[in-house]
Amino acid sequence: MESSAEPAPGAPRLAVPVAALIGVLAVAVALAVGHLVAGVVGPSASPFLAVGNTAIDLTPLQLKDFAVRTFGTYDKLVLLGGMALVLLGAAVVAGVLSRRSSLPGSILAGALGLLGVAAVLARPDSGQLSVLAPIASLVAGIAVFRWLHRAALSVREVPQEGGRRKLLIALGATAVGAGVAGVLGQFLGNRIDVEGSRAAVGAIKPSKPAPEIPVGADFSGQGTPSFITPNGDFYRVDTALSVPRLRAEDWSLRIHGMVDKELTLSYEDLRSRELVERTITMTCVSNEVGGPYVSTSNFTGVLLRDVLMEAGVKPGADQLFGTSSDGWTAGTPVDVVMEAERGALLALGMNGEPLPVEHGFPVRMVVPGLYGYISATKWLVDLELTTFDAKQSYWIDRGWGRLGPIKPMSRIDTPKGLSRLTGGGKTTVSGVAWAQPKGVAKVEVRVDGGAWQDATLSADVNDSSWRMWKVELDLPAGGHQVECRATDKSGFVQPQARVAPIPDGATGWHSAFFTVEK
C-alpha cells in the first residue's frame, strides 16, 4: 500500500512523536540542501535567508521600528530565531497531520518550498541560477519526508525483526546528512576569501590625514565614550541578514545616469587617487533620544564630489541613487554631496584599516550631516545620477523622510538612569552631543526642572563630529532628574518635544533619574 494513498479505515498510523520527528527532519534536510546549493550558486539564494530578507522588506514600518528599539543590533538574530521556531512548528504540524498518509505533509512541504522559490526570485541580488537552491530544497524536503514516512509506516504495518533498528538508523542518518549538508553549504558560501583580500589591501594611508585629535576631546575618564570609536564598537544597523562578501580585486563601481561621461572604477582606481581622511560622526535615524546608534571614526577615501565632477553631473539631477551589492538602495541629495565643505567620501578605510567587512568592505559612502539611511550605502557597487521623482530608494519607498538631515541631539551617559550614587561630594554628569554638519556650540543641563546651566565642553574637533560635555553638581541627598539640551552653531536649540525616530529622526531632551546617598 502506498503511504500517500487514501488510508483505509483502521489502517496503521504513526505514533505522534515519530510523525513529528519525521516532519522536523524533512524540513531540516530541505533547509540544509537549499543552503548547500546556495553555497555554489550564491549565498543569497539560500531559501531560509531569502525568506528572512523578504520578511524584512515586507515588515510594516512600525514593527521594524519596534524591533530596532527593542532588540537593537540583535534584531536579525531574533528574526532568524523566530523563523526557525515557525518552521519547527510547521514541521511538527506536517508530521502529525500525516500519521496515516504522507499526503498532508507533502502538500505543506510543497507550499513552504514554493514560498522559498518566490522569495529567492524576488531578491534583487539573485542570479539566474539562484532558483536552483529553493527548487533543490523543495524536492529534497518532500522526497525525504515521503521516504521516512514510508519506512516508519512499514514498521507499523509489518513488524519485523530489526525493523525498528533500521528505522532509527535511517532517522539518525538523515539528521547527520542534514547537518553535513548545512555545514558544507556554509563553507562553500564563505569560500570567497574576503578576509584575505582585506588583509592584502594593508593599511590605508591618506595623503591628506585628518588633524590630530586634540587632548581634551573627550571626558572618557568621567563617563563619556572615547572620542574615536574603535572599529569593533562602531554601531551597525542595516538590513543584511548575511554580510555581502566582496573581494577588493573583484569590486567595481559604476557611475551612470544623468552624467556627461559614464565611469567604471576598480578598487585600484580609487586607491591610486588622492586619499583624504576625515573625522566624521555617523548617526542612525533609528536612534531614540539617548540611544546608542552614534559613533565616530577617521574615515579615509576619495572625495565623492571630485569623482562626480569627473563624470559630469547634468542639470536637473537631484538624487544620487546608490545601490549595494545585495540590492539595498539609498538616495542622497546631489546638492549636498556636491558641497565642497561637506567632504562626502567614497570610503575605503576606517581608523587606518581597510573597512571592516560588516561596515562595507571594499567601499562605502559616507556623507557627513545626513542620517545613514540616505547617505551611507555599504558594499557600494552602483551610483546613478537621477531625480527623486524618477526613483525611490529602499526606505523612502517605505515612507521615511527624503532628505534626512541630522537633528541636534545630546545624551546623558553618566550617571545611568536609576543608579544610586554614594560617597558624598559633587556629582559629575557627563555625556555627548552632536549637530552635524553645523557643530555643537553649547550644551545646557538642568536639575529637577530648575534653571539651565552651561556644561563644560570638550575640545572642538570639527563641525562634522560629536562633542563631549560634563558638569559638576552639588546635589542634596535624594532623587534627582537631570535633563540636557544642545545648541548648534547656527543658534538652533534642541527641541523639547518628543518625536519618534521614524520618519526622519527623533527629537526631545534626554533625561536621567538617579538617587544621591550622602
Side-chain angles (χ1 to χ4, degrees):
M1 180 178 68
E2 288 292 328
S3 61
S4 60
E6 185 68 27
R13 62 180 184 174
L14 302 179
V16 170
V18 174
L21 179 58
I22 288 173
V24 170
L25 288 176
V27 168
V29 168
L31 293 177
V33 169
H35 202 58
L36 174 60
V37 176
V40 177
V41 301
S44 64
S46 173
F48 187 66
L49 295 179
V51 170
N53 282 316
T54 302
I56 290 175
D57 292 347
L58 297 178
T59 298
L61 191 59
Q62 294 79 5
L63 186 55
K64 281 184 180 177
D65 188 31
F66 169 79
V68 173
R69 288 198 320 269
T70 306
F71 305 112
T73 54
Y74 297 102
D75 58 337
K76 299 175 188 64
L77 288 178
V78 171
L79 170 65
L80 292 175
M83 287 174 53
L85 288 176
V86 170
L87 284 172
L88 178 63
V92 169
V93 169
V96 172
L97 291 177
S98 305
R99 294 176 65 191
R100 283 201 172 105
S101 167
S102 65
L103 183 59
S106 298
I107 292 173
L108 184 55
L112 291 174
L114 291 175
L115 177 64
V117 172
V120 169
L121 290 175
R123 297 302 304 158
D125 54 337
S126 294
Q128 293 181 343
L129 298 178
S130 295
V131 73
L132 294 178
I135 289 175
S137 177
L138 187 156
V139 171
I142 293 177
V144 168
F145 182 81
R146 291 172 65 87
W147 170 61
L148 290 177
H149 188 279
R150 185 164 52 247
L153 202 59
S154 67
V155 173
R156 299 285 292 181
E157 288 175 334
V158 186
Q160 53 183 316
E161 185 178 352
R164 292 183 182 276
R165 182 171 62 83
K166 290 179 181 179
L167 176 61
L168 290 175
I169 291 175
L171 294 172
T174 301
V176 171
V180 170
V183 170
L184 184 57
Q186 190 67 26
F187 172 79
L188 291 174
N190 292 335
R191 69 188 185 281
I192 300 174
D193 189 11
V194 179
E195 290 76 13
S197 175
R198 184 173 177 270
V201 167
I204 300 292
K205 296 181 179 179
S207 48
K208 289 187 176 181
E212 290 285 336
I213 305 300
V215 175
D218 63 43
F219 301 130
S220 57
Q222 293 166 291
T224 72
S226 60
F227 187 85
I228 295 295
T229 308
N231 288 352
D233 296 333
F234 204 97
Y235 81 89
R236 178 193 166 199
V237 176
D238 53 49
T239 64
L241 282 177
S242 58
V243 175
R245 301 181 63 81
L246 301 172
R247 299 193 311 164
E249 51 268 42
D250 301 328
W251 177 88
S252 66
L253 172 65
R254 181 188 178 209
I255 302 173
H256 62 108
M258 298 174 67
V259 296
D260 297 327
K261 179 179 64 174
E262 184 172 319
L263 300 178
T264 300
L265 303 174
S266 70
Y267 190 84
E268 282 306 312
D269 288 335
L270 287 184
R271 186 83 184 269
S272 64
R273 293 172 179 244
E274 181 178 68
L275 297 182
V276 300
E277 186 178 49
R278 295 284 188 271
T279 304
I280 298 171
T281 295
M282 294 184 64
T283 310
C284 180
V285 73
S286 298
N287 206 34
E288 295 277 354
V289 173
Y293 302 136
V294 55
S295 302
T296 299
S297 177
N298 281 324
F299 288 100
T300 300
V302 174
L303 289 172
L304 179 55
R305 179 177 184 269
D306 291 350
V307 175
L308 294 182
M309 289 180 66
E310 182 180 332
V313 180
K314 290 184 176 181
D318 61 7
Q319 178 181 206
L320 182 62
F321 194 85
T323 303
S324 166
S325 67
D326 65 356
W328 187 84
T329 56
T332 312
V334 170
D335 59 347
V336 172
V337 298
M338 294 302 287
E339 293 175 6
E341 65 276 12
R342 181 75 62 153
L345 294 176
L346 293 174
L348 288 73
M350 193 170 169
N351 291 333
E353 303 176 7
L355 289 170
V357 176
E358 63 273 17
H359 287 290
F361 180 82
V363 177
R364 71 175 297 168
M365 271 179 59
V366 178
V367 183
L370 300 179
Y371 289 117
Y373 77 100
I374 64 166
S375 69
T377 308
K378 295 186 277 192
W379 313 292
L380 182 68
V381 295
D382 190 277
L383 286 174
E384 180 182 357
L385 275 299
T386 181
T387 67
F388 282 106
D389 290 337
K391 300 188 78 168
Q392 287 196 319
S393 59
Y394 184 91
W395 286 116
I396 308 306
D397 194 40
R398 288 158 176 79
W400 291 26
R402 192 177 79 174
L403 300 180
I406 293 174
K407 299 176 180 179
M409 183 63 66
S410 57
R411 183 184 76 196
I412 299 168
D413 290 326
T414 301
K416 300 295 184 185
L418 303 181
S419 60
R420 305 183 74 86
L421 309 180
T422 59
K426 293 189 175 182
T427 299
T428 298
V429 179
S430 64
V432 61
W434 56 90
Q436 314 94 298
K438 295 178 180 178
V440 176
K442 179 170 66 174
V443 173
E444 299 169 284
V445 173
R446 72 175 180 180
V447 182
D448 300 329
W452 290 100
Q453 55 183 302
D454 288 349
T456 299
L457 295 180
S458 65
D460 194 2
V461 175
N462 64 53
D463 293 344
S464 290
S465 58
W466 57 12
R467 204 164 180 188
M468 312 301 173
W469 58 267
K470 66 177 181 178
V471 63
E472 288 192 346
L473 303 173
D474 191 3
L475 301 175
H480 298 282
Q481 176 118 343
V482 176
E483 298 169 288
C484 62
R485 69 182 185 187
T487 301
D488 70 22
K489 291 181 180 180
S490 74
F492 182 82
V493 180
Q494 176 183 340
Q496 179 182 11
R498 281 286 180 121
V499 174
I502 309 305
D504 60 359
T507 67
W509 296 342
H510 188 217
S511 63
F513 180 86
F514 55 88
T515 302
V516 175
E517 298 177 343
K518 298 286 187 175

